[in-house]
Amino acid sequence: MEFLEIVGGARLKGTIDISGAKNAALPIMAASILVDGETTLHNVPDLADVRQMQLLLTRLGVKAERDDEGVMRLCVKDEMNVCAEYNLVNKMRASVCVMGPLLAKRKRAQVSMPGGCAIGDRPIDLHVRGLEGLGADHDLVNGDVILRAKKLTGTDIFLGGPFGSSVTATANVMMAATLATGRTVIDSAACEPEIVDLAAFLNACGARISGQGTPQIVIEGVESLTGTEHSIVADRIEAGTYMIAAAITNGDVEVRNARIDHLQAVVDRLRRVGVIIERAEQGISVSSSRRLEPVQATTQPYPGFPTDLQAQLMVLLCLADGNSMITEKVFPDRFLHVGELNRMGAMLRKEGPTVIIEGVKRLVGAQVMASDLRASAALVLGGLVAKGTTRIHRVYHIDRGYEQIEKKLAGVGANIRRLQE
Ligand code: EPZ
């Protein structure tokens, strides 16, 4: 097993290149199931989750090959298998994104119910509700959701859940509706940039989608979709993570290829903390050289503050001058990083879906355990600024969503190495 060893104290300076977005690449790869002919994707990140989706697609008869330049070519070779089995879905919740495409193209889908995971329950009731609305029958057999439909018919679908919109449920229903007969209107749709990128890909394949990026998406069904070329949008969560890395080390970093328009809620909070953020030539420049102000933040569906940057903001606020508060409204249990950060000298107290963050003078290096992908990235940020050495074990969690994290950080001066246990 590998671990990351970080000696804290370096102020990050220089440029970090942002990769393509994991949460756009995964549904777009799944959408290749809908498409006749070859699809070429550019700017596909080299991540464990992308390799996991390639494995699942291969099992589903889709050839998916990525070259060293980040170009992935996909083509459906065999439509027999429609089953995404437990041992694949259990490793990556995003496997559920094959459900809509399989149902629409192969009229049947069998997907293992994703169980809970490090950030909490991962129900798929909204996915099923939406696909049933299009005309699918559904059964739950031995932990698998089985969906069947002779044909799909467009309809009005409300996709709002107890925690607001659902990103992958919106993706699944939007993908399935592209080949349904007639018009589908999705209300309370997710507005995330990754949904907009998926819609752009589908429209380039011949779909007729409008309203993407707003809570109401309209899809006019078409007969078929044809392969296209598409470049994956930049990863706003990776960008936000490195912006906070620059801030927490009092550094001066340009986060290149990042889209500042996809990070307005993050820029708002970081500026309130006292971080200097400006639009740069090819991205976003971030610098900080003073004590940090405490702030309050609440995670919400886009365009609100992203839950995927909650842990990273929390680490920054550990060093603010006073008490901050973060409330998690998307995944209320997403606080596995709290205990690990307290082991590094943080003063965090969980009160239900809220964490009170008492500012401390410094964090101290420790042996810590990675858990969910973003909590693990937060521990890396803690290690960058902690006094002494931090070792982060189970680093495979980080490799799911961050391409070469130690190379990108070392490239701007961090003292970080990947070692074998
Ligand atoms: C996507 O997950 C992202 N993953 C997550 O990123 C991200 O944290 C999440 O959206 C929220 O932004 C991908 O895009 C692959 P949801 P998803 O459905 O779609 C509840 C990362 O670190 N819900 O938007 O699974 C759910 O429990 C990952 O990159 C239902 O109740 O999240 C949650 O409380 C982690 N019923 C809320 O909605 C459903 O059928 C939002 O979940 C579906 C979801």
Side-chain angles (χ1 to χ4, degrees):
M1 286 260 251
E2 296 176 317
F3 67 96
L4 292 178
E5 181 176 89
I6 306 171
V7 177
R11 300 178 67 166
L12 303 188
K13 288 194 185 318
T15 300
I16 296 180
D17 285 332
I18 296 306
S19 305
K22 167 177 87 76
N23 292 347
L26 295 176
I28 289 172
M29 287 168 69
S32 66
I33 291 168
L34 292 164
V35 166
D36 300 327
E38 180 160 283
T39 280
T40 302
L41 300 177
H42 299 269
N43 200 32
V44 178
D46 180 17
L47 299 171
D49 273 13
V50 168
R51 291 190 288 276
Q52 189 68 25
M53 183 58 86
Q54 278 177 275
L55 179 61
L56 173 56
L57 289 174
T58 304
R59 296 276 177 84
L60 294 170
V62 181
K63 182 170 69 73
E65 283 154 4
R66 182 184 180 281
D67 68 18
D68 296 343
E69 277 72 57
V71 178
M72 181 178 284
R73 288 176 178 77
L74 302 104
C75 189
V76 175
K77 295 295 182 197
D78 174 343
E79 297 192 308
M80 282 310 290
N81 187 14
V82 295
C83 181
E85 65 253 24
Y86 176 78
N87 67 337
L88 292 173
V89 177
N90 192 41
K91 287 196 183 67
M92 181 181 68
R93 298 288 169 285
S95 308
V96 76
C97 288
V98 301
M99 195 154 69
L102 286 173
L103 180 68
K105 193 71 169 57
R106 304 182 188 179
K107 306 293 180 251
R108 188 173 141 84
Q110 180 168 339
V111 177
S112 171
M113 276 279 275
C117 71
I119 63 178
D121 283 349
R122 305 301 291 274
I124 58 169
D125 56 304
L126 297 175
H127 300 243
V128 173
R129 181 207 293 175
L131 296 173
E132 276 187 320
L134 291 172
D137 297 321
H138 107 277
D139 277 324
L140 183 60
V141 178
N142 300 330
D144 286 0
V145 172
I146 299 175
L147 294 160
R148 294 183 190 82
K150 287 194 181 43
K151 69 192 284 275
L152 296 179
T153 308
T155 184
D156 291 357
I157 295 169
F158 177 75
L159 266 192
F163 300 95
S165 51
S166 163
V167 178
T168 47
T170 301
N172 256 329
V173 175
M174 184 168 75
M175 288 188 282
T178 57
L179 296 182
T181 305
R183 164 180 291 201
T184 299
V185 178
I186 304 175
D187 280 308
S188 191
C191 304
E192 273 69 3
E194 293 76 27
I195 293 293
V196 174
D197 204 38
L198 173 61
F201 168 73
L202 291 166
N203 282 343
C205 293
R208 292 171 56 202
I209 301 170
S210 57
Q212 59 272 29
T214 78
Q216 185 176 79
I217 301 178
V218 180
I219 305 107
E220 303 289 353
V222 294
E223 283 297 310
S224 64
L225 298 175
T226 316
T228 187
E229 288 215 42
H230 177 80
S231 185
I232 303 294
V233 68
D235 193 322
R236 61 192 168 96
I237 303 301
E238 186 195 22
T241 303
Y242 291 130
M243 287 166 69
I244 294 174
I248 203 168
T249 59
N250 277 345
D252 186 353
V253 173
E254 180 180 341
V255 179
R256 199 156 52 181
N257 310 325
R259 297 256 317 249
I260 197 167
D261 57 317
H262 289 167
L263 285 155
Q264 289 307 322
V266 178
V267 170
D268 166 69
R269 288 298 88 189
L270 292 182
R271 281 178 172 156
R272 290 294 295 269
V273 167
V275 181
I276 299 158
I277 299 174
E278 274 138 16
R279 207 180 276 273
E281 185 74 16
Q282 287 182 310
I284 307 168
S285 76
V286 184
S287 59
S288 167
S289 57
R290 51 186 284 269
R291 284 293 291 166
L292 306 168
E293 297 300 321
V295 298
Q296 188 279 337
T298 300
T299 67
Q300 292 164 12
Y302 192 88
F305 191 92
T307 174
D308 291 350
L309 284 169
Q310 178 254 106
Q312 298 90 318
L313 178 66
M314 189 178 289
V315 184
L316 180 67
L317 296 178
C318 287
L319 299 174
D321 241 353
N323 288 357
S324 301
M325 265 174 59
I326 294 184
T327 300
E328 172 57 68
K329 286 209 166 164
V330 179
F331 290 108
D333 299 328
R334 192 175 196 172
F335 290 128
L336 285 179
H337 43 287
V338 167
E340 296 303 301
L341 289 171
N342 282 340
R343 297 186 60 246
M344 296 178 74
M347 296 284 280
L348 304 174
R349 197 176 73 250
K350 185 175 172 305
E351 308 268 345
T354 295
V355 169
I356 314 293
I357 305 149
E358 191 179 326
V360 295
K361 285 274 172 286
R362 75 169 62 82
L363 296 175
V364 291
Q367 303 256 20
V368 288
M369 191 72 74
S371 55
D372 102 78
L373 155 62
R374 308 301 176 182
S376 317
L379 296 176
V380 172
L381 301 185
L384 291 176
V385 73
K387 185 171 176 352
T389 301
T390 299
R391 290 189 180 83
I392 300 163
H393 300 279
R394 296 190 185 172
V395 77
Y396 58 84
H397 287 290
I398 298 180
D399 294 335
R400 291 190 48 198
Y402 290 90
E403 190 174 356
Q404 302 184 329
I405 190 166
E406 73 275 14
K407 287 201 177 73
K408 291 192 179 186
L409 287 171
V412 286
N415 184 338
I416 180 171
R417 296 184 300 163
R418 181 185 289 256
L419 300 168
Q420 289 292 339
E421 297 281 4

